[in-house]
Amino acid sequence: MKATLIDGKKVSQEIREELKPRVQNLIQQDLKPGLAVILVGDDPASQVYVRNKEKACEKLGVYSLKHQLPSTTSQNDLLHLIDELNNNPAIHGILVQLPLPKHLDEKKILYHINPLKDVDGFHPYNLGRLMIGDPIFLPCTPWGVQELLSRYQIDISRKHVVIVGRSNIVGKPLSMMLVQKAKAANATITICHTGTENLAQHTQMADILIAAAGSPKMITGELIREGVVVIDVGINKVEDKLVGDVDFDSVVDKASFITPVPGGVGPMTIAMLMANTVKSAERTLHG
Ligand SMILES: NC(=O)C1=CN([C@@H]2O[C@H](COP(=O)(O)OP(=O)(O)OC[C@H]3O[C@@H](n4cnc5c(N)ncnc54)[C@H](OP(=O)(O)O)[C@@H]3O)[C@@H](O)[C@H]2O)C=CC1
Ligand SMILES: Nc1nc(=O)c2c([nH]1)NC[C@@H]1CN(c3ccc(C(=O)N[C@@H](CCC(=O)O)C(=O)O)cc3)C=[N+]21
Ligand SMILES: [Mg+2]
C-alpha cells in the first residue's frame, strides 16, 4: 500500500477562504478582528511561527499586533501587558508564544489571559469546558488534526486512536476532543508517553496514530500496522531541516494516509488560530 498524502497546506487555505466572508461581515459592522502575539526572547523557531501568523492575519484582513519583548522581561511587566490587552477592545485574541524564558512562571501568565480572548485554548477554563464537551476555544493544533481527518472523510467514530505524547497543548486536549460523544469524535483512545511499556504493542493497535512526542522520526515502519492513518504533529529542527516525529520513508508504504512535515499539521494550527480569532470577535456581537 502507498499512503495518500494529507495536504494540510491546501486544507488550511480552504479554511482561511471560508473565514473571509465572516471577516468581511465583521468589518462591515466596524469590528475588525484583532490578534495580539507576545514573543519573549528571540527563539528563531518561534520567529518563523510568528511570521506565519502575521502573514495569515494580513491575507485575511485581521489586525495583528506583535509585542516582541527582550528575554529579560520581568513577570510583572508581562502581566501588565496582558492586563492592557485584556482591556483593549481592538484585541480579540491574545497568544503568548511558548516556551517562555525560565525565569517566567508560565502557568501564572497563561492563567492571566482573559479566557474569552484565549484563542490558544490553553487557559484552564477553556480546557475544562473542552473536557465536559462544551468548548469555547479549542486548542489550535488538536482542532487542526480533527479538522484534517474530517475533511479527508476519515471516520473517527468507533476507531482506536493512539496518541504518542501527553502535553497540555497537544496530546491531552486532543485525546479529550476525540473521546467526546460527538461528531468527528467518539473514538477509543490510548495515550502513550515515556512511561509507556512496550510502545510498539500499543501503536500497532491503532487505526489512527497521532505522533506528538517531539522526537524526530521515532515512529518507524515496525511500529505500525498496514493500513493505519498516520498524523505527524512533530516539528523538529534537525541540522537546520524540519522533520516530524514520523520516519516518513519507512511508514509511507504501509500507511493508508499520512501527513507530511512541513505541509501537514503546522499550517492547520495557523488556520485554526485565525478561526478562533474570528469566532472571538463574533462573540463580542452576540454575547
Ligand atoms: N504542528 C504544530 O502546529 C505544532 C507542533 N508541535 C510539535 O509537536 C511535538 C510535541 O509538542 P509538545 O506536545 O509541546 O511536546 P512536549 O515536549 O511538551 O511533550 C512531548 C510528549 O511526548 C512524550 N514523548 C517524548 N518522547 C517519547 C517517546 N520516545 N516515547 C513515548 N513518548 C514520548 C513525552 O512524554 P513524558 O510526558 O513522559 O515526558 C510528552 O508527553 C513537538 O515536536 C512540537 O514542536 C507542537 C505544537 C504545535
Ligand atoms: N502559545 C503558543 N501557541 C502555539 O500554537 C505554539 C506555541 N505557543 N509555540 C510553538 C508551537 C509550534 N507551533 C507551530 C505553528 C505553526 C507551524 C507551521 O506553520 N508550520 C509550517 C511551516 C514551518 C516552516 O516552514 O518553518 C509547516 O509545518 O508546514 C509550526 C509550528 C505553534 N506553537
Ligand atoms: Mg511543550
Side-chain angles (χ1 to χ4, degrees), residues 48-49 52 95-98 120 122 235 242 262-264 266-267 269-270:
V48 176
Y49 312 144
N52 288 346
L95 183 150
V96 179
Q97 186 73 28
L98 302 178
D120 252 334
F122 294 170
I235 303 264
L242 268 196
T269 299
I270 309 264

Side-chain angles (χ1 to χ4, degrees), residues 154-282:
I154 296 165
D155 274 332
I156 301 169
S157 182
R158 311 177 71 83
K159 295 291 158 52
H160 185 186
V161 177
V162 177
I163 301 171
V164 185
R166 59 173 160 192
S167 73
N168 289 331
I169 71 171
V170 187
K172 265 193 261 175
L174 181 57
S175 71
M176 277 300 131
M177 284 171 64
L178 299 185
V179 83
Q180 299 292 326
K181 195 164 188 161
K183 257 198 328 203
N186 199 39
T188 302
I189 313 285
T190 299
I191 310 177
C192 302
H193 44 77
T194 59
T196 300
E197 269 188 64
N198 202 345
L199 180 70
Q201 182 191 303
H202 296 285
T203 56
Q204 280 161 355
M205 300 263 287
D207 299 310
I208 301 172
L209 178 63
I210 301 171
S215 175
K217 298 191 185 187
M218 68 166 290
I219 305 294
T220 55
E222 302 100 79
L223 264 65
I224 63 161
R225 201 173 47 75
E226 191 80 30
V228 65
V229 174
V230 179
I231 305 291
D232 190 353
V233 179
I235 303 264
N236 309 293
K237 267 254 163 73
V238 177
E239 286 158 5
D240 246 33
K241 267 188 58 185
L242 268 196
V243 299
D245 289 347
V246 174
D247 180 27
F248 191 90
D249 294 339
S250 75
V251 166
V252 69
D253 293 322
K254 249 176 137 179
S256 56
F257 289 88
I258 189 168
T259 62
V261 175
V265 176
M268 291 298 291
T269 299
I270 309 264
M272 300 344 272
L273 176 66
M274 295 301 115
N276 274 342
T277 305
V278 172
K279 185 187 280 181
S280 180
E282 287 170 345

